[in-house]
Amino acid sequence: MGEASRDEYKIQSFDAETQQLLKTALKDPGTVDLEKVANVIVDHSLQDCVFSKEAGRMCYAIIQAESKQAGQSVFRRGLLDRLQREYQAREQLRARSLQSWVCYVTFICNIFDYLRVNNMPMLALVNPVYDCLFQLAQPESLSREEEVDCLVLQLHRVGEQLEKMNGQRMDELFVLIRDGFLLPLGLSSLGRLLLLEMIEFRAAGWKTTPAAHKYYYSEVSD
């Protein structure tokens, strides 16, 4: 499936009016309210974790289209402003809805993965992404399988990039993850397996060795 058709497919989860707004933003961004578009995408990402995993590609496409058409960055500015507001209210978001919190972390990591400045990850997102991952590595978060799963998935996706941007914080994060792995209570057997796999994944240079793949993924399927 091509990039354009994948974006078209993701748009199908919106109502008809919003679908039209997003299609126009992708093809002719100068004719729509791009701050509204940014808010629509963030709102939907907080409600739909499947969409939040892929929304970064759509955001990247709109940013590219706006830059090419008008040489501006209204959409990117609106998107980052909204991400910052949600980041500042992240504790309330997590207390209100665990699903929305997991969707938010997935979304901000996806944006970090896709958005580039001079072919480098956005520096402004490094610490917010780390802060979210640190929250997921706290003992109370590790007692919830959804948060363990989110932590591991996001580290698979952006861990190597994050470490290049700030290696010290990654070392500190993995101290928490190792401590979490040794927790006597609260961590499920699947959670323990996922954390151990992540510890070994990083130790192997952010790669899964064939032996590790065979061991962990046969365990998960069992």
Side-chain angles (χ1 to χ4, degrees), residues 2 13 56 71 74 83 101 116 129 132 152 170 174 186 200 207 211 216:
S13 59
V74 174
L83 276 175
W101 157 244
R116 290 282 184 274
V129 169
C132 291
V152 169
M170 188 61 73
F174 269 78
E200 294 195 357
K207 293 180 178 64
Y216 289 111

Side-chain angles (χ1 to χ4, degrees), residues 47-95:
Q47 296 164 14
D48 182 344
C49 278
V50 174
F51 178 76
S52 71
K53 291 176 184 174
E54 297 296 334
R57 184 188 292 108
M58 184 185 292
C59 291
Y60 175 76
I62 295 171
I63 287 167
Q64 292 296 101
E66 184 191 11
S67 176
K68 188 174 178 181
Q69 186 185 67
Q72 293 184 315
S73 54
V74 174
F75 175 78
R76 186 172 75 176
R77 193 163 54 247
L79 177 66
L80 293 176
D81 284 349
R82 178 65 192 280
L83 276 175
Q84 184 178 29
R85 290 201 302 276
E86 295 297 339
Y87 164 75
Q88 289 167 343
R90 65 193 181 282
E91 290 178 14
Q92 297 95 305
L93 177 66
R94 184 173 176 271

Side-chain angles (χ1 to χ4, degrees), residues 22-201:
L22 293 174
K23 285 177 183 176
T24 306
L26 285 161
K27 290 172 184 169
D28 192 8
T31 62
V32 295
D33 181 344
L34 290 172
E35 285 194 31
K36 180 181 178 182
V37 173
N39 283 315
V40 162
I41 291 173
V42 176
D43 286 339
H44 201 65
S45 293
L46 294 180
Q47 296 164 14
D48 182 344
C49 278
V50 174
F51 178 76
S52 71
K53 291 176 184 174
E54 297 296 334
R57 184 188 292 108
M58 184 185 292
C59 291
Y60 175 76
I62 295 171
I63 287 167
Q64 292 296 101
E66 184 191 11
S67 176
K68 188 174 178 181
Q69 186 185 67
Q72 293 184 315
S73 54
V74 174
F75 175 78
R76 186 172 75 176
R77 193 163 54 247
L79 177 66
L80 293 176
D81 284 349
R82 178 65 192 280
L83 276 175
Q84 184 178 29
R85 290 201 302 276
E86 295 297 339
Y87 164 75
Q88 289 167 343
R90 65 193 181 282
E91 290 178 14
Q92 297 95 305
L93 177 66
R94 184 173 176 271
R96 189 170 67 247
S97 167
L98 194 64
Q99 180 185 326
S100 293
W101 157 244
V102 166
C103 287
Y104 174 73
V105 178
T106 302
F107 181 62
I108 194 172
C109 288
N110 198 247
I111 294 298
F112 175 77
D113 192 27
Y114 271 98
L115 266 57
R116 290 282 184 274
V117 175
N118 299 326
N119 213 30
M120 291 285 290
M122 292 194 69
L123 201 56
L125 291 176
V126 173
N127 281 327
V129 169
Y130 263 124
D131 289 343
C132 291
L133 298 181
F134 268 75
Q135 176 57 61
L136 292 175
Q138 297 300 319
E140 70 160 318
S141 295
L142 293 176
S143 67
R144 296 188 175 102
E145 226 158 73
E146 307 100 300
E147 291 189 278
V148 177
D149 196 42
C150 182
L151 173 65
V152 169
L153 283 171
Q154 302 321 314
L155 281 170
H156 269 285
R157 181 164 203 156
V158 299
E160 186 173 10
Q161 295 178 64
L162 274 175
E163 182 161 40
K164 286 175 182 172
M165 301 299 284
N166 189 332
Q168 182 182 342
R169 288 207 77 184
M170 188 61 73
D171 289 341
E172 292 165 0
L173 179 61
F174 269 78
V175 168
L176 281 179
I177 290 172
R178 281 192 291 272
D179 287 349
F181 173 74
L182 297 170
L183 275 175
L185 300 170
L187 193 62
S188 69
S189 54
L190 177 59
R192 197 176 298 279
L193 190 73
L194 288 171
L195 292 188
L196 181 59
E197 188 264 343
M198 177 46 61
I199 290 166
E200 294 195 357
F201 181 69

